[in-house]
Amino acid sequence: ALAEVFHASGSFRTALIGCARDVKVLFKIGTSLADSASDHDEEGCRGRLGDVLRQHVGDRAPTADEFVSSISSLCGDHWGGFTSFESKRPPPGALEWHQDWAAADLQYAFGACRTVMLAFPAAGASGHDVHEGEGILTELVQLSHEFSTESLKARNSYRGLSTGEQDRKAASDLGVTEEHIVRPRYCRGQEILVYKDAEHLHRSPRATSDPAGRARQAIWRFQ
């Protein structure tokens, strides 16, 4: 039922995106990221997300906790956080090949943790909420072995460059070409992308920076 409504109802997806803060709080509560002294409105977050799920999915809707935990459980044994990105404003550097784990967290990047992306497709130009194809899920380049671009960025030749410039140089130094790019196909049953950050470079689909070709409304990243 949840998958059917997610694909058929743009209003449900929009309402769900509106609960991003609530998802972030519940994600932290359900993982080791929670602070025992947190003053977050846990019940309020649970209630708002639960209301949206019940209103759009009905009696068979998962609870707020079930919804969040079903995704966070895919992340592995360490968590870095939850972030919601709306495609109309790609975050700085999102369109460059990059990795997410910083130098201080490399022990986790090379561990069992995974990045989990849930994509929200935009309504089609025809007005029909039917979405399949590329340009919705995050694009990937799979590396031959576990590797962190932080080791490249420590070199003298990277000093003084902006983050975006460093990412472009790292991709160039690694020899990334068009033939290495994997563009996952989004369709029902393939709404979520799971990958290991240390084994990949990733970037937002280039179409998301162009309002005329935007294929997704937002994407949620769980780590």
Side-chain angles (χ1 to χ4, degrees):
L2 177 61
E4 293 175 2
V5 178
F6 187 83
H7 282 272
S9 174
S11 61
F12 172 51
R13 294 194 300 274
T14 298
L16 204 54
I17 292 170
C19 290
R21 178 189 172 278
D22 304 314
V23 171
K24 183 174 184 176
V25 170
L26 295 178
F27 178 72
K28 291 183 69 174
I29 291 171
T31 65
S32 62
L33 297 172
D35 183 343
S36 60
S38 173
D39 60 357
H40 290 306
D41 179 14
E42 177 180 342
E43 288 307 314
C45 293
R46 187 173 284 118
R48 283 186 292 271
L49 177 58
D51 286 346
V52 166
L53 291 167
R54 285 189 299 274
Q55 289 168 8
H56 291 270
V57 181
D59 294 338
R60 292 195 294 167
T63 66
D65 289 311
E66 289 171 343
F67 175 77
V68 175
S69 65
S70 67
I71 301 175
S72 63
S73 64
L74 301 174
C75 294
D77 59 5
H78 181 81
W79 301 273
F82 164 85
T83 311
S84 176
F85 300 110
E86 292 191 31
S87 292
K88 62 183 178 182
R89 293 189 183 90
L95 297 175
E96 304 293 345
W97 294 114
H98 65 283
Q99 294 174 312
D100 289 326
W101 290 100
D105 298 312
L106 290 186
Q107 60 177 316
Y108 305 119
F110 291 106
C113 57
R114 298 290 187 273
T115 297
V116 180
M117 298 279 199
L118 171 61
F120 293 76
S126 64
H128 296 296
D129 281 334
V130 178
H131 316 274
E132 289 189 359
E134 299 173 355
I136 299 176
L137 288 167
T138 294
E139 298 176 349
L140 299 171
V141 167
Q142 183 165 2
L143 303 177
S144 61
H145 58 279
E146 289 189 345
F147 180 80
S148 171
T149 55
E150 293 297 324
S151 62
L152 293 176
K153 295 176 182 179
R155 297 176 179 177
N156 287 336
S157 59
Y158 282 75
R159 292 181 180 175
L161 300 179
S162 67
T163 300
E165 291 170 335
Q166 288 184 342
D167 287 333
R168 283 194 294 275
K169 181 171 173 53
S172 176
D173 289 349
L174 289 172
V176 174
T177 65
E178 180 67 24
E179 67 181 11
H180 297 121
I181 301 174
V182 175
R183 296 181 172 88
R185 179 177 175 79
Y186 178 96
C187 62
R188 181 162 177 187
Q190 295 178 200
E191 306 90 349
I192 292 177
L193 179 66
V194 182
Y195 63 92
K196 190 171 183 178
D197 197 54
E199 295 177 352
H200 297 83
L201 303 180
H202 69 278
R203 72 179 183 189
S204 295
R206 291 302 175 100
T208 62
S209 65
D210 175 11
R214 189 182 305 139
R216 75 186 187 197
Q217 184 178 1
I219 194 160
W220 282 359
R221 183 184 72 196
F222 299 80
Q223 282 183 322

